[in-house]
Amino acid sequence: MKAVITDHHYTDISRAARVLADAGIELAVGACSNEDEAIALGCDADAAINQHLPITARVLDGWPRCRGVVHFGKGVDNIDVAAATERGIWVTNVRDANWDEVSNHVLALLLGWARGLVAFDRHVRAGGWSHRLAVPRHRLKGQVLGIVGFGDIARVLAAKAQGLGLDVLAHSRHPDAAGGVTFVGLGELLRRADYVSLHVPLTASTAKMIGEKEIALMKPSAFLINTSRGGVIDQQALVAALRARRIAGAGLDVTDPEPPAADDPLLALDNVILTPHVAWYSEESREDVTISAAQEVVRILRDQRPLSPVNDVVPRRSCAPA
């Protein structure tokens, strides 16, 4: 049996390679940047792990033996899940590797804005030394965090935010009885929240879900946080709102596209905190993600149901020679 890694940005995948080797699975690691390279790498592979490379229907057709595509991470918007399902190919992600990191990153952006850390840093470096730059600044306790989408990371975030004294509202297609969280419609959440954090996957239904109309509902003092995918925000509408101070600011770990171009207007705005799609990262998370992805490959190639599937299939069986 053979697995391929089409592309990755990790410094060390040795423990993932060991998981596969211990299971008797040969591994080929590529740095694919297009469909043709991916097809050539995986044409005789039984499973693939990917990170950034789009896995299209054409790529899947070029992988006749493939029984599973595992994503290094959670978001699978760069995999044609419908095409994989039609072909009996599992698509899985790593569900729980970075809940702590992403929820902490949201809070870091929130607290950085709430306490004026970026502005104060610039002020001091320019020779200033005054609290007046922060006026008015308000106590965090009693302010409202609105969470859009209420999956695993959002649940962890809600509990941490409540520990800081924030009241938590949430909007979800599937509300549950989470402790102390009030579920409301999206419009009400946007109107009431002092901080809005987005936690939805990028799909046809969520693309640009936060646009001009939605931003217009937000408080002028509100701060928008996105650690999900850049495409869930209409970035042009966001830039216009930030320029006009229709909302106070934004903290973005993701943009559309990534990375932003040198002339992207986001880069010129002083009311935006930008980080380079790093909310997922810690050394522990990197290790967990790579090992868990390899373990998913092992399950699939042993004809077991994967731990974190994003589709449901009648699995393609091995077409290896007898």
Side-chain angles (χ1 to χ4, degrees):
M1 293 182 292
K2 178 180 178 180
V4 297
I5 295 175
T6 61
D7 65 306
H8 73 92
H9 61 208
Y10 300 120
T11 55
D12 183 5
I13 58 169
S14 60
R15 291 189 64 185
R18 176 60 63 85
V19 169
L20 296 172
D22 288 348
I25 299 169
E26 176 189 351
L27 176 64
V29 180
C32 302
S33 60
N34 57 55
E35 291 180 339
D36 290 337
E37 291 175 355
I39 291 169
L41 179 71
C43 62
D44 60 346
D46 301 284
I49 302 174
N50 91 304
Q51 191 159 41
H52 302 296
L53 184 77
I55 305 300
T56 64
R58 178 171 176 259
V59 171
L60 295 171
D61 283 339
W63 293 349
R65 296 167 56 111
C66 184
R67 296 154 60 194
V69 178
V70 181
H71 180 65
F72 271 142
K74 190 167 185 182
V76 294
D77 46 283
N78 61 333
I79 302 173
D80 190 333
V81 177
T85 304
E86 290 173 2
R87 291 157 178 78
I89 299 172
W90 287 111
V91 177
T92 85
N93 59 13
V94 179
R95 179 180 171 186
D96 59 355
N98 51 31
W99 295 354
D100 201 42
E101 285 76 9
V102 176
S103 58
N104 284 344
H105 200 86
V106 172
L107 292 177
L109 291 168
L110 188 157
L111 289 168
W113 180 261
R115 300 306 304 160
L117 299 187
V118 174
F120 278 132
D121 177 76
R122 292 170 182 161
H123 175 66
V124 172
R125 291 174 188 275
W129 195 265
S130 172
H131 80 283
R132 297 189 185 280
L133 182 71
V135 175
R137 189 77 47 182
H138 298 287
R139 181 173 292 165
L140 200 64
K141 184 177 181 179
Q143 293 193 62
V144 177
L145 170 64
I147 302 176
V148 180
F150 206 70
D152 301 310
I153 292 171
R155 289 180 177 84
V156 175
L157 171 64
K160 292 178 179 179
Q162 289 168 331
L164 293 173
L166 285 158
D167 296 328
V168 179
L169 301 177
H171 171 71
S172 175
R173 291 180 300 169
H174 306 290
D176 62 22
V181 175
T182 302
F183 286 88
V184 296
L186 179 59
E188 182 178 351
L189 181 148
L190 294 171
R191 284 189 290 269
R192 291 174 58 184
D194 299 292
Y195 306 91
V196 175
S197 187
L198 306 179
H199 296 272
V200 295
L202 179 58
T203 65
S205 63
T206 63
K208 296 187 178 180
M209 70 176 293
I210 304 298
E212 182 178 0
K213 175 183 173 183
E214 290 74 25
I215 293 170
L217 296 174
M218 296 172 66
K219 297 178 180 181
S221 58
F223 186 71
L224 178 63
I225 301 168
N226 190 12
T227 56
S228 57
R229 288 292 185 267
V232 304
I233 295 177
D234 181 337
Q235 198 159 289
Q236 185 175 353
L238 176 62
V239 167
L242 291 167
R243 280 175 170 164
R245 307 286 170 166
R246 290 196 293 273
I247 62 171
L252 306 176
D253 186 54
V254 289
T255 59
D256 183 20
E258 291 185 2
D263 62 350
D264 192 308
L266 279 175
L267 302 179
L269 296 173
D270 64 2
N271 54 346
V272 179
I273 302 174
L274 291 166
T275 56
H277 202 147
V278 73
W280 64 271
Y281 172 71
S282 71
E283 281 299 295
E284 293 79 7
S285 173
R286 174 196 57 76
E287 189 112 307
D288 288 347
V289 165
T290 56
I291 292 172
S292 295
Q295 290 170 337
E296 284 286 69
V297 168
V298 173
R299 291 186 191 96
I300 290 168
L301 296 189
R302 288 177 174 170
D303 294 324
Q304 299 170 359
R305 183 177 177 85
L307 188 65
S308 183
V310 299
N311 63 348
D312 199 9
V313 301
V314 177
R316 174 187 283 179
R317 294 297 176 179
S318 171
C319 57

